[in-house]
Amino acid sequence: MVQPAEPTISKLAARARRVIPGGVNSAQRQVPGLEDLVITATHGATFTDDRGRTFTDYHAAFGPPLLGHNDPDVDRAVAEAGARLDNMGVGVSPIEIELAEKLVQHVPSIERVLLTMTGSEATFHAVRLARAVTGRRYLIKFQGCYHGWHDAVAMNVISSADHVGQKDLLSAGIVPEVADATLVLPFNDAAAVQRALEEHAGDVAAIILEPIPHNIGAVLPAPGFLERLRDLATQHATVLIFDEVITGFRHGLGGYQQAAGVTPDLTTLGKAMANGWPISALGGKAELMDQFNTTPGRPAFFAGTFNGHPAMAAAALATINKLETEPVHEHVFRLGERIRSGLREVLPEFGLPTVVSGFGSVFVTYFVDGPVQRYDDLVANDADLFTGYRRAQMADGIFELPLNLKRSHVSYAHTDADVDRLLEATRRALRRVLRDRKDHQA
Ligand SMILES: Cc1ncc(COP(=O)(O)O)c(C=O)c1O
């Protein structure tokens, strides 16, 4: 009898496209040139695709696996907690309590904390809480910052040059009144924030920002900018929200707010919090957080079937435990610094305008003249070169996401030898792409 042919693994991407719109489960995974990428395994600093190619991974799923993929201690904690305790949907579990205590202990702004699954849920609830507490309408966000997919914030991240300075919605279907209630300002421009607060006096509920806008690589806050925002928010009784979904845990157990010495009113956490398992958090001042209706009779609604899932909370606790007891930050900061300084040595060879930026374990190379202080400074980035050299690096088994302005990350599982290979592959990839460009122009 003739056996039906086994569907070959290379048909997986085609199968995906038949049943999953676009073939991927997040628009950010739709990367030109990588439409057929099917990932079959992750391990430490690497991932493997369905063609058997293994890459050293600097994309790191946009940042969660700070310890490396499939950290055995974290994964064991998930399995053990999951086998003992499923999601109950009533009451609270000891694991959730322990995790909340850890977050209160470590993050300066957090006196009380609630758990969500995703970062978008955390920022959604932060904005809703600010509006519920202040009774005000407006939200200030900054061009280049991303805070998730919900209507109040889904705008003005990587805008084309002609959309900077205008409302640039990420999606159709956003009610205009909701979009109008968000004011978009340039990062590092405290005077613009002051003007907006004065123009809408008594009606700005919150200022939300990534303290380092990592959704456009790594634009560092200018000295005094975060402090000035803190002062302005206090002066205008506006809620200051640090969205530390990327920076939290990755830049330190206390988030970037601890390094910066500026304490917001509310903080959102996610991504690296559980090394890749889906859990996020919203925490902050008790007087604000206690206005959620998890305390009966309070005005801000908060609910979620999977909130505080014990197995996910266990992943976060195991991650935090490792960050507390092992030199994780020391390692990733050292490698991050080696990469940034190595790139600064390699890049001048090419005689191009370049700016190497980053913080701690995060790095990015922009092809622009510096300095880079706000999104406008990145509009001129050579996106073809930025994405082109990253695609070329794949031939050397290196993966940095080939999407314009996206940052790269190192984890505890990366080694010094990985850094050497990355720098060499960057040099080779740039040579190849620039040579091809020259041939093409000739
Ligand atoms: C700073 C920041 N905030 C919020 C979010 C939304 O988180 P999630 O994708 O988990 O909904 C992201 C996601 O990339 C982010 O980078």
Side-chain angles (χ1 to χ4, degrees):
M1 203 173 94
V2 179
Q3 294 291 329
E6 280 279 312
T8 61
I9 202 114
S10 60
K11 290 188 180 147
L12 279 170
R15 271 175 60 195
R17 276 197 280 277
R18 275 198 290 277
V19 286
I20 300 172
V24 287
N25 272 305
S26 173
Q28 293 290 294
R29 299 180 199 169
Q30 188 58 265
V31 179
L34 302 184
E35 291 84 356
D36 281 348
L37 188 62
V38 176
I39 316 283
T40 52
T42 52
H43 177 73
T46 67
F47 71 81
T48 302
D49 75 359
D50 65 337
R51 290 189 255 169
R53 299 179 300 176
T54 293
F55 298 95
T56 306
D57 182 18
Y58 294 94
H59 166 44
F62 292 101
L66 174 59
L67 304 173
H69 291 292
N70 299 100
D71 179 84
D73 298 318
V74 176
D75 290 2
R76 195 176 315 110
V78 172
E80 282 173 10
R84 195 172 65 247
L85 181 61
D86 204 345
N87 197 21
M88 277 297 297
V90 66
V92 68
S93 61
I95 295 178
E96 291 164 78
I97 301 168
E98 209 184 316
L99 175 56
E101 285 171 349
K102 281 286 177 197
L103 296 174
V104 169
Q105 175 195 331
H106 283 299
V107 184
S109 64
I110 297 188
E111 296 170 357
R112 301 255 206 283
V113 62
L114 286 165
L115 300 172
T116 61
M117 290 296 286
T118 67
S120 296
E121 292 165 72
T123 59
F124 174 90
H125 289 295
V127 172
R128 166 155 323 142
L129 178 65
R131 286 189 165 131
V133 168
T134 61
R136 297 176 179 183
R137 170 186 170 85
Y138 288 101
L139 172 69
I140 291 176
K141 90 173 269 293
F142 295 92
Q143 174 72 54
C145 290
Y146 177 68
H147 304 292
W149 38 252
H150 52 96
D151 292 358
V153 294
M155 62 191 78
N156 296 84
V157 186
I158 298 184
S159 301
S160 57
D162 52 334
H163 283 86
V164 176
Q166 300 173 28
K167 211 46 82 62
D168 182 25
L169 303 183
L170 293 181
S171 180
I174 296 177
V175 174
E177 288 79 358
V178 175
D180 290 347
T182 300
L183 310 170
V184 181
L185 302 179
F187 193 74
N188 273 334
D189 188 346
V193 176
Q194 181 170 357
R195 276 196 301 277
L197 287 167
E198 285 167 4
E199 193 178 326
H200 300 282
D203 211 10
V204 178
I207 302 168
I208 188 167
L209 67 150
E210 296 178 71
I212 300 176
H214 277 312
N215 276 284
I216 47 171
V219 176
L220 299 178
F225 177 64
L226 298 178
E227 288 83 349
R228 186 79 188 111
L229 288 186
R230 176 64 280 175
D231 289 347
L232 285 168
T234 305
Q235 212 177 311
H236 290 264
T238 292
V239 177
L240 183 63
I241 306 167
F242 276 11
D243 179 356
E244 296 229 41
V245 163
I246 295 173
T247 53
F249 301 98
R250 184 163 277 283
H251 293 347
L253 269 164
Y256 185 69
Q257 59 194 261
Q258 190 158 52
V262 177
T263 306
D265 301 305
L266 295 175
T267 298
T268 53
L269 300 164
K271 295 199 195 287
M273 175 174 170
N275 205 51
W277 293 93
I279 186 165
S280 301
L282 166 62
K285 279 189 179 148
E287 69 192 61
L288 294 175
M289 293 298 295
D290 285 344
Q291 297 308 311
F292 277 117
N293 70 346
T294 46
T295 302
R298 301 294 162 85
F301 184 79
F302 183 84
T305 303
F306 297 120
N307 287 356
H309 191 292
M312 301 305 106
L317 272 174
T319 303
I320 292 169
N321 180 53
K322 210 148 182 172
L323 297 178
E324 286 172 339
T325 55
E326 296 193 26
V328 177
H329 286 110
E330 193 187 315
H331 179 82
V332 297
F333 272 55
R334 187 177 66 74
L335 292 194
E337 193 46 48
R338 264 205 68 201
I339 292 171
R340 286 186 295 274
S341 55
L343 288 170
R344 286 185 189 116
E345 277 169 32
V346 166
L347 293 166
E349 268 176 45
F350 298 96
L352 296 164
T354 52
V355 173
V356 176
S357 186
F359 183 87
S361 59
V362 172
F363 61 97
V364 65
T365 300
Y366 301 119
F367 297 97
V368 290
D369 287 310
V372 173
Q373 291 186 316
R374 50 198 266 181
Y375 178 75
D376 309 45
D377 301 325
L378 295 173
V379 169
N381 186 48
D382 186 337
D384 282 345
L385 186 55
F386 188 98
T387 55
Y389 93 89
R390 288 172 172 219
R391 272 196 298 273
Q393 278 177 329
M394 290 179 71
D396 281 328
I398 301 287
F399 192 81
E400 292 189 75
L401 190 67
L403 269 186
N404 192 29
L405 302 183
K406 289 302 162 195
R407 68 197 175 276
S408 294
H409 315 77
V410 269
S411 76
Y412 197 37
H414 287 84
T415 63
D416 278 288
D418 287 328
V419 171
D420 295 338
R421 274 193 295 272
L422 170 70
L423 294 172
E424 201 35 52
T426 304
R427 175 183 274 128
R428 259 201 302 273
L430 275 168
R431 269 190 201 145
R432 217 172 308 148
V433 170
L434 291 168
R435 196 183 51 225
D436 288 353
R437 204 180 244 199
K438 218 161 143 195
D439 292 350
H440 200 70
Q441 282 163 355

